[in-house]
Structure formats: structure tokens, C-alpha cells
Amino acid sequence: MHAFSDPTSLQYARLTGMFYIGIAIAGGFAIAYVPSQIVVQGDPAQTVANILTRTALYQAGIAADLAVMVFEIMALTMLYFMFKPVSATLSFAAAMARLSMVSVMSAMLFFHAGATLLAQSPELVSSFNAAQRADLAGLFLEMHRAGVWIWQVFFTLHLVLLGTLVLASRRFPRIIGIGLIVGASGYLLDSIYAFAFPDAAVLGILRAGLLAIVTLSEISFALWLLIKGQSQGVPRHTKMATI
């Protein structure tokens, strides 16, 4: 437990980095790989068939989602205490923004559960035929996907605040903080693109570029924590420096 007691220590930083890497690995599996193998856009019947024939993979994706949430809670808590000496207010706001994101992620799992029940337990809605059950399961999965666009708004705020704290702390390379702030808008643009302007090609290219920047910055931050830890930077109880 000693490793959790000193937010300025190397062990604390490395644990935070481990949770961050865990989020990246489990999240990539749950958000990117599993849907690519299960969900067939525009064909809910085939999607339901995939859930039934590849149940282990589908359930592994749900388990990975749960792992992401556990890692997120640990990471946001540790980041809060790590940056609290820099600015207690901004560090708390960053933690609340990330916690709001996790709350949305948790709610999204109910749609996974609904799709699973429709696929595996047709007797629960016996008045529906197979096509209707498949359509409803497809709707649940689309609502789950829409949840991603909702939590990305909270994550945008978190990354802007985190980048600001990284810059002010002087414990990490400035390029990481700048990349987090600049690239964060990629998540917001991705939500806007998906909800309002799916045919705006320029917007799609811009959000892809910004997402590449923020992804690289997040991975760099996680690896820096894991390998290098953190320098002393701003002393404890010192007010936030002007950037």
C-alpha cells in the first residue's frame, strides 16, 4: 500500500502509467476489435447471429469494458492526487469530468445486456418474431455506439484540464501537455461529426488528425509515467504557475 501513499514517488507514477496502459489495451479490444467482429452495419440479423456464434468473444468485450472502468477509476483518482498540488480546483474538475465519462460508459453496458438478452433469450419477448428481435437488438447496439459520442464530450474537457496541469506542473515534457490540449478537440469533433455532420469530409479529416495527435500524446504520457516517472516540478502547496 506504500506505493499509493506518495503521489510524488516513482512507484506512484509507474502505477498510474500501468493503469493508463491497461485502459488503452482493454479499451482497444472492447471498443475497436470486438465490434468489428460482431456488428454488421445495416444487418441486425447477421449481428445477432454473430453474437450467438461468437458468444465468448462478445462476452470478452463486455468484460474488457468492465476492466476499462476499473482502470479508469484508479487512474483518475491517482491523477487527481498527483496534480492536486498544482491546482486543487483544476485537478478535481479533471477528475469529475473523467468520472462523468465512466458513468456514461457504465450506463452503456445496459444496452449490451439488452442486445444479449434479445439474442439469447427470445422467450422474454415472445410476441416479437426473429426479425423484430434482431431489429431491436440492433437499435440497442446503435444506442451503445451513441454513448461513445456522449462520453467523448466529457473526455474532451478532462484532456484539456489534464494538459493544462501537465504544462503547469513542469514535471513532464511540455509537448505532451500541448498535445493533450490541442488534440482533445478531436474527441469533441468526432462526436459532432457523428451526430450532426456525417457527410462533412473536411470535418472528418480534421477530427482524424486531432485524434492522432491526442492518442500519441496520451500514449506518450502513459509511457513517460511508466518508464520515467515524474520530476519534482512544482513544489507541494505551490500555487499554479502561469502558463
Side-chain angles (χ1 to χ4, degrees):
M1 299 300 291
H2 176 72
F4 292 97
S5 63
D6 183 6
T8 65
S9 69
L10 177 62
Q11 293 87 346
Y12 188 98
R14 284 179 171 169
L15 276 172
T16 307
M18 287 176 61
F19 287 125
Y20 230 120
I21 295 297
I23 291 169
I25 295 172
F29 178 75
I31 297 173
Y33 179 72
V34 173
S36 73
Q37 301 299 306
I38 298 294
V39 179
V40 180
Q41 293 298 326
D43 193 345
Q46 185 58 52
T47 297
V48 169
N50 289 342
I51 292 175
L52 291 173
T53 58
R54 308 190 70 179
T55 302
L57 177 63
Y58 186 70
Q59 292 177 341
I62 296 175
D65 267 328
L66 289 170
V68 167
M69 293 173 210
V70 172
F71 295 152
E72 284 282 0
I73 290 172
M74 293 303 300
L76 74 88
T77 302
M78 297 182 79
L79 288 171
Y80 165 69
F81 285 105
M82 182 183 294
F83 290 105
K84 184 179 178 182
V86 181
S87 171
T89 299
L90 293 186
S91 188
F92 184 72
M96 289 299 98
R98 195 155 191 156
L99 183 60
S100 297
M101 177 191 73
V102 175
S103 298
V104 175
M105 287 180 169
S106 300
M108 288 163 58
L109 287 182
F110 286 104
F111 297 115
H112 263 321
T116 302
L117 287 171
L118 285 166
Q120 298 180 343
S121 304
E123 69 277 3
L124 294 177
V125 282
S126 56
S127 60
F128 288 11
N129 59 39
Q132 290 172 326
R133 289 194 299 272
D135 285 343
L136 186 55
L139 175 62
F140 283 168
L141 291 175
E142 280 299 308
M143 292 174 72
H144 180 276
R145 191 161 69 100
V148 174
W149 304 327
I150 296 171
W151 67 246
Q152 285 185 151
V153 176
F154 294 107
F155 197 42
T156 298
L157 174 59
H158 168 79
L159 289 173
V160 170
L161 294 171
L162 179 61
T164 302
L165 290 166
V166 166
L167 284 174
S169 71
R170 301 195 297 272
R171 300 174 190 168
F172 308 96
R174 288 180 60 83
I175 189 64
I176 292 177
I178 294 171
L180 290 172
I181 294 171
V182 172
S185 57
Y187 284 105
L188 180 60
L189 288 180
D190 188 53
S191 295
I192 294 173
Y193 176 76
F195 269 119
F197 305 104
D199 298 322
V202 174
L203 183 60
I205 295 171
L206 179 59
R207 57 109 194 196
L210 290 169
L211 285 173
I213 292 172
V214 76
T215 299
L216 181 60
S217 300
E218 286 187 86
I219 292 173
S220 298
F221 180 54
L223 292 176
W224 192 275
L225 286 169
L226 189 62
I227 299 170
K228 299 282 290 185
Q230 55 182 327
S231 61
Q232 289 303 306
V234 176
R236 282 180 173 272
H237 312 303
T238 298
K239 291 184 179 180
M240 183 174 174
T242 301
I243 300 175

